[in-house]
């Protein structure tokens, strides 16, 4: 079975605003290099730092630029009612599927989480993909709950420190790797694809890993994209690749520091032919 590459798009900024020309270059680059789907308004997009008007414009623009490429939109609302409302809004704006981040800070019970996802699924007629990301949510989803939701959800994006959670649920629900640096181990655990940060600048290289290539250089590259809080490093990569005009981020994030820039520059001197 062909493994799917879904790029978690970064959002370019210039002078404090979304840089639409840079965003167009990014989406066109993805379309030209085989991305199977695009994720807008995910973590890599700094979506929680966008205004509602900006998120609307970004998703609308992405839909226009992406053409026939499926467009997934991220939901980050912790309150179930607000999450359902956001799901409807994003579906109306043209999203073909939704990635639902786990309720954060407030956390939730396993039973509450199940009802949270069920409510989102009931609100829309498009596929819903729960996102397991303990490093941001502060907790790991309950594997049994995911199994119980398997008839309602399309897949699960898993971004853990290992592929153990993926192994527990892979027989019941499709798993999308959410950790590029662990992509090979996730594929061995049965993942059907990846929602990728690295593919912002290296979609073909990322696809080669999906096809079974093993590469220590790719693992190093993937770790470099997480040198600082995502998407700080990948935006510097995008800037160096000439896709983004700046590597600006929004507070409380800060742009790539001197050490990060130096490390990435050295990597590009050695392996830039795989990326640029």
């Amino acid at each position: 079975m062909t493994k799917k590459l879904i790029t978690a798009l970064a959002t370019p900024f210039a002078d404090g605003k979304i840089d639409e020309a840079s965003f167009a270059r990014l989406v066109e680059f993805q379309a030209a290099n085989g991305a199977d789907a695009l994720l807008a308004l995910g973590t890599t997009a700094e979506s929680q730092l966008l205004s509602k008007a900006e998120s609307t414009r970004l998703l609308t623009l992405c839909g226009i630029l992406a053409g026939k490429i499926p467009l997934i939109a991220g939901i980050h609302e912790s309150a179930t009612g607000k999450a359902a409302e956001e799901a409807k809004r994003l579906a109306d704006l043209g999203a073909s599927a939704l990635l639902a981040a786990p309720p954060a800070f407030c956390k939730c019970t396993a039973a509450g989480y199940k009802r949270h996802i069920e409510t989102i699924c009931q609100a829309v007629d498009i596929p819903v993909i729960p996102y397991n990301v303990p490093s941001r949510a502060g907790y790991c989803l309950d594997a049994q709950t995911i199994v119980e939701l398997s008839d309602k959800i399309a897949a699960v994006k898993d971004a853990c420190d290992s592929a153990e959670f993926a192994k527990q649920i892979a027989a019941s629900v499709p798993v999308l790797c959410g950790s590029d640096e662990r992509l090979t181990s996730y594929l061995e655990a049965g993942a059907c694809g990846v929602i990728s940060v690295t593919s912002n600048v290296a979609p073909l290289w990322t696809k080669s890993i999906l096809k079974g290539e093993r590469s220590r250089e790719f693992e190093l590259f993937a770790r470099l994209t997480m040198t600082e809080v995502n998407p700080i490093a990948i935006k510097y990569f995008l800037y160096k690749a000439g896709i983004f005009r700046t590597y600006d981020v929004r507070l409380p994030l800060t742009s790539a520091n001197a050490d990060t820039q130096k490390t990435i520059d050295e990597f590009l001197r050695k392996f830039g032919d795989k990326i640029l």
Side-chain angles (χ1 to χ4, degrees):
M1 183 178 71
T2 302
K3 309 295 185 181
K4 299 298 183 182
L5 173 64
I6 303 166
T7 299
L9 298 170
T11 302
F13 298 116
D15 302 319
K17 299 178 181 179
I18 293 174
D19 181 353
E20 294 191 3
S22 291
F23 188 68
R25 281 194 295 273
L26 176 60
V27 176
E28 289 163 1
F29 177 67
Q30 296 300 316
N33 287 280
D36 296 301
L38 301 175
L39 169 65
L41 307 180
T43 304
T44 308
E46 298 169 75
S47 55
Q48 290 181 301
L49 308 180
L50 300 175
S51 69
K52 185 144 292 189
E54 286 176 323
S55 68
T56 297
R57 175 59 181 161
L58 197 69
L59 189 59
T60 302
L61 182 61
C62 191
I64 294 169
L65 294 167
K68 295 181 180 180
I69 301 175
L71 178 58
I72 304 169
I75 300 174
H76 297 271
E77 297 285 357
S78 290
T80 302
K82 289 182 179 179
E85 290 174 3
E86 183 70 351
K88 293 177 185 176
R89 185 179 81 90
L90 297 175
D92 289 344
L93 287 171
S96 53
L98 301 169
L99 178 69
F105 195 73
C106 63
K107 299 187 179 182
C108 59
T109 63
Y113 179 77
K114 183 179 180 183
R115 291 174 62 184
H116 179 81
I117 295 298
E118 288 173 338
T119 301
I120 294 172
C121 291
Q122 290 167 0
V124 293
D125 294 322
I126 58 176
V128 175
I129 303 168
Y131 183 11
N132 186 36
V133 56
S135 65
R136 290 182 179 269
Y139 61 96
C140 184
L141 299 182
D142 177 68
Q144 181 57 39
T145 300
I146 292 298
V147 172
E148 292 172 3
L149 287 166
S150 61
D151 62 336
K152 297 179 175 66
I153 58 179
V156 172
K157 177 186 177 184
D158 186 45
C160 291
D161 290 336
S162 74
E164 289 307 309
F165 184 83
K167 291 177 182 177
Q168 294 178 46
I169 65 172
S172 300
V173 61
V175 175
L176 293 163
C177 172
S179 301
D180 288 292
E181 64 271 35
R182 301 179 184 89
L183 180 52
T184 296
S185 64
Y186 268 85
L187 294 173
E188 292 171 349
C192 64
V194 60
I195 296 181
S196 174
V197 174
T198 60
S199 60
N200 274 274
V201 288
L204 294 178
W205 198 10
T206 308
K207 288 195 86 165
S208 74
I209 305 302
L210 287 173
K211 292 176 181 177
E213 178 183 313
R214 290 177 176 268
S215 171
R216 291 182 180 178
E217 291 82 9
F218 179 83
E219 292 178 4
L220 173 59
F221 167 47
R223 288 196 297 273
L224 280 180
T225 65
M226 297 295 147
T227 300
E228 298 189 64
V229 176
N230 187 41
I232 291 171
I234 196 62
K235 293 185 91 168
Y236 186 71
F237 270 110
L238 284 161
Y239 167 73
K240 295 295 289 188
I243 298 172
F244 281 9
R245 186 155 56 98
T246 77
Y247 50 97
D248 294 351
V249 293
R250 280 193 172 164
L251 289 170
L253 297 174
T254 52
S255 296
N257 63 40
D259 287 342
T260 296
Q261 293 182 40
K262 180 180 178 181
T263 303
I264 290 174
D265 289 345
E266 290 174 351
F267 179 85
L268 290 173
R269 278 193 288 273
K270 292 180 180 179
F271 307 111
D273 60 318
K274 293 181 175 290
I275 297 174
L276 307 180

